[in-house]
Amino acid sequence: LRLSGNGRIAQGKLFEEIDALEQIYRKNPEKVVAVGECGLDFLIDRNDIYPENTLPADQVKNLQRQLFQAQIDLAKKLNLPLLVHCRDDRSKNPENSEAWDEVLEMVSDHPTILHCYSGLLPTTKKVLTSPTLVVSFAGSVTYPKNEYLREAVKLLSLDRIVLETDCPFLPPQSKRGTRNEPANIEEIAQAVADLKGISLEDVSYQTTENIKAILNQSFALSG
């Protein structure tokens, strides 16, 4: 997107891009079930999304905020849920929650799926206060170092949880070092079941019902 002289996104260009997204929905309303993946990714210096970035980190963050707010506004206009990507840079401060704090404030009470959840305990406690937020766990919940994610599973009620693989990235612990596949969702579901002391079948059923509810879709369980 073209920048204006003050480092902000040129509003005309931003309007064009958001309008193009809206038209995709208007032409295919039965196929578009959410706005996203969008959000804030503050892992800037070590992020392959910005291989040739020459802007200061603060300016990149401000550009992200502008884009994200425009996408939030679009989701509200179309009455669609958000699918949010969020990542903090914890390379220097393992307790950093800047991006997550801002994401939760920006989405407020709009129905939102927090994709590939990586929130620390204080973030999870904030999520608990908003019934419109649904947390999606990926293979990272199975990694030995991520006890904070397993604690999040325990704290969240099952009706607030959905599952994903984020393939081809983040394979579960037993498949580390390999390309992730959709079939690996079972290991993630089993991890949730073990943490909650319930059956795999219960996790499979309820997480499917959860995603159907937030996306207003009818999906048939297979297998």
Side-chain angles (χ1 to χ4, degrees):
L1 290 174
R2 187 174 68 255
L3 304 184
S4 61
N6 62 3
R8 293 183 62 82
I9 299 171
Q11 291 303 301
K13 184 61 175 176
L14 178 57
F15 175 82
E16 289 177 13
E17 298 288 345
I18 294 299
D19 183 65
L21 291 177
E22 180 176 346
Q23 294 312 310
I24 291 173
Y25 170 78
R26 299 295 182 192
K27 294 175 181 178
N28 304 274
E30 72 285 352
K31 295 182 179 179
V32 180
V33 296
V35 172
E37 179 180 333
C38 56
L40 302 177
D41 191 323
F42 288 174
L43 188 66
I44 296 168
D45 293 336
R46 300 183 295 109
N47 194 331
D48 58 8
I49 295 176
Y50 313 107
E52 300 176 357
N53 173 53
T54 59
L55 297 175
D58 286 346
Q59 193 169 27
V60 174
K61 291 178 182 179
N62 284 333
L63 294 172
Q64 288 190 33
R65 293 179 184 113
Q66 293 173 59
L67 285 167
F68 187 33
Q69 186 59 60
Q71 291 163 315
I72 292 171
D73 294 343
L74 178 63
K76 291 179 177 179
K77 179 180 181 179
L78 301 180
N79 195 29
L80 290 172
L82 283 160
L83 178 60
V84 166
H85 167 101
C86 182
R87 185 162 57 171
D88 279 299
D89 183 355
R90 296 176 185 156
S91 59
K92 296 178 181 178
N93 176 10
E95 302 302 314
N96 182 21
S97 62
E98 178 188 11
W100 274 109
D101 291 344
E102 292 193 30
V103 158
L104 295 187
E105 182 177 356
M106 291 177 74
V107 303
S108 187
D109 60 354
H110 190 80
T112 299
I113 300 172
L114 303 176
H115 148 74
C116 199
Y117 187 65
S118 62
L120 300 172
L121 182 58
T123 297
T124 300
K125 290 181 176 179
K126 292 179 183 178
V127 170
L128 285 168
T129 67
S130 179
T132 58
L133 300 178
V134 173
V135 176
S136 181
F137 290 100
S140 49
V141 76
T142 67
Y143 299 170
K145 68 176 182 178
N146 289 345
E147 187 58 38
Y148 67 97
L149 291 181
R150 289 184 284 280
E151 186 63 24
V153 172
K154 295 175 185 177
L155 289 172
L156 289 159
S157 60
L158 191 57
D159 63 0
R160 300 281 300 281
I161 293 174
V162 294
L163 307 176
E164 62 174 298
T165 57
D166 198 36
C167 68
F169 311 108
L170 297 179
Q173 184 61 29
S174 71
K175 307 285 194 311
R176 293 297 291 273
T178 67
R179 184 185 188 280
N180 203 3
E181 300 289 346
N184 293 335
I185 195 74
E186 183 174 354
E187 186 168 341
I188 300 165
Q190 187 63 62
V192 171
D194 292 344
L195 287 164
K196 288 196 165 294
I198 58 180
S199 70
L200 177 63
E201 290 73 19
D202 285 344
V203 171
S204 299
Y205 174 80
Q206 188 59 56
T207 55
T208 300
E209 290 300 302
N210 297 343
I211 200 66
K212 285 164 59 177
I214 193 168
L215 298 181
N216 294 314
Q217 298 291 300
S218 296
F219 299 112
L221 280 171
S222 62

